[in-house]
Amino acid sequence: MPKQVDHQERRETIARALWRVVEQRGATHLTLREVAQEAGISLGQLQHYFGSRAELLAFAMDLAGEQSALRVGRALAGLGERPHPRAVLRAMLVELLPLHADARATSRMSAAYVLEALHDEGVHARARGSLLQGRAAVEQVVRQAIADGMIAADRDPVVETDLLLALTGFTTLLELNVVEPAAVLAAVDQYLDRLFAAGAGSPR
């Protein structure tokens, strides 16, 4: 009997091949043919699942986002039912930085996705929606921490969210070896310490 194909599994396999192409060879090599070769399938087989580069990239970014969320969840799992918001924000920020192989792959793919979004309205709308959703998640943690007295009440949650997300600007400096990971983590920790300093404590 012919082997049954798990189409979702095949799509994820193709997406992971895209991650490897971007991480190892750069966004300039991000073509359907290159990804098909990396995945060990024909171009025709790949196009059965993804009709365009933008469609494949969007699926790969969604999958990367799901994997990132799982890693954040695992990082917080051992901190009790209600982890301190400082720990939550730290886990979210650290996951956005290229500090391990999976995060580096996601970071490099995100750069390719942004370039695609600048020239494709559909990709732009999708990418913007994802970023807005991620930003809202960070702002929700900040607002709750202010409401719970863990961050000073006079802090503007919108501004604080923007400042926290600005820390992801370390990505380029890390990728080009301008700063060391330890220095970036120290900067993140110091900023979070200052943010929570006037509140009800910030356990490390």
Side-chain angles (χ1 to χ4, degrees):
M1 292 181 63
K3 182 180 178 182
Q4 291 293 105
V5 177
D6 184 327
H7 294 291
Q8 179 64 18
E9 183 180 345
R10 177 62 64 85
R11 287 166 67 87
E12 291 186 9
T13 296
I14 294 170
R16 292 177 191 280
L18 179 148
W19 297 356
R20 293 193 297 274
V21 169
V22 173
E23 182 181 14
Q24 297 167 12
R25 284 169 261 172
T28 56
H29 289 272
L30 185 53
T31 65
L32 295 184
R33 190 176 299 280
E34 286 275 351
V35 174
Q37 184 176 356
E38 179 66 30
I41 61 176
S42 70
L43 178 59
Q45 286 176 302
L46 184 148
Q47 289 174 321
H48 174 73
Y49 294 96
F50 301 101
S52 68
R53 181 178 184 271
E55 186 183 341
L56 170 55
L57 190 54
F59 178 82
M61 282 302 302
D62 288 346
L63 180 60
E66 291 170 11
Q67 295 299 310
S68 293
L70 287 173
R71 287 193 294 272
V72 170
R74 285 195 294 268
L76 297 173
L79 300 180
E81 219 172 283
R82 291 193 63 192
H84 194 283
R86 184 195 185 283
V88 175
L89 291 171
R90 188 182 192 277
M92 295 170 82
L93 287 173
V94 169
E95 180 56 36
L96 292 173
L97 295 168
L99 294 171
H100 56 80
D102 288 339
R104 278 192 297 275
T106 300
S107 173
R108 292 170 189 181
M109 189 169 53
S110 294
Y113 196 44
V114 169
L115 289 175
E116 195 86 16
L118 293 176
H119 305 286
D120 185 309
E121 289 185 6
V123 177
H124 184 281
R126 190 183 182 107
R128 183 173 183 274
S130 295
L131 287 171
L132 285 171
Q133 186 176 14
R135 189 194 175 286
V138 174
E139 185 174 331
Q140 182 179 9
V141 177
V142 172
R143 285 186 179 278
Q144 191 60 51
I146 293 173
D148 292 341
M150 295 180 181
I151 295 175
D154 61 351
R155 295 293 187 105
D156 184 329
V158 173
V159 172
E160 294 304 333
T161 299
D162 290 339
L163 289 172
L164 284 166
L165 291 176
L167 292 170
T168 63
F170 276 118
T171 292
T172 302
L173 299 178
L174 284 165
E175 289 280 34
L176 298 180
N177 301 315
V178 176
V179 295
E180 294 295 323
V184 171
L185 291 174
V188 169
D189 282 328
Q190 284 195 31
Y191 187 82
L192 289 171
D193 284 345
R194 292 171 187 171
L195 180 61
F196 285 89
S202 55
R204 299 292 287 266

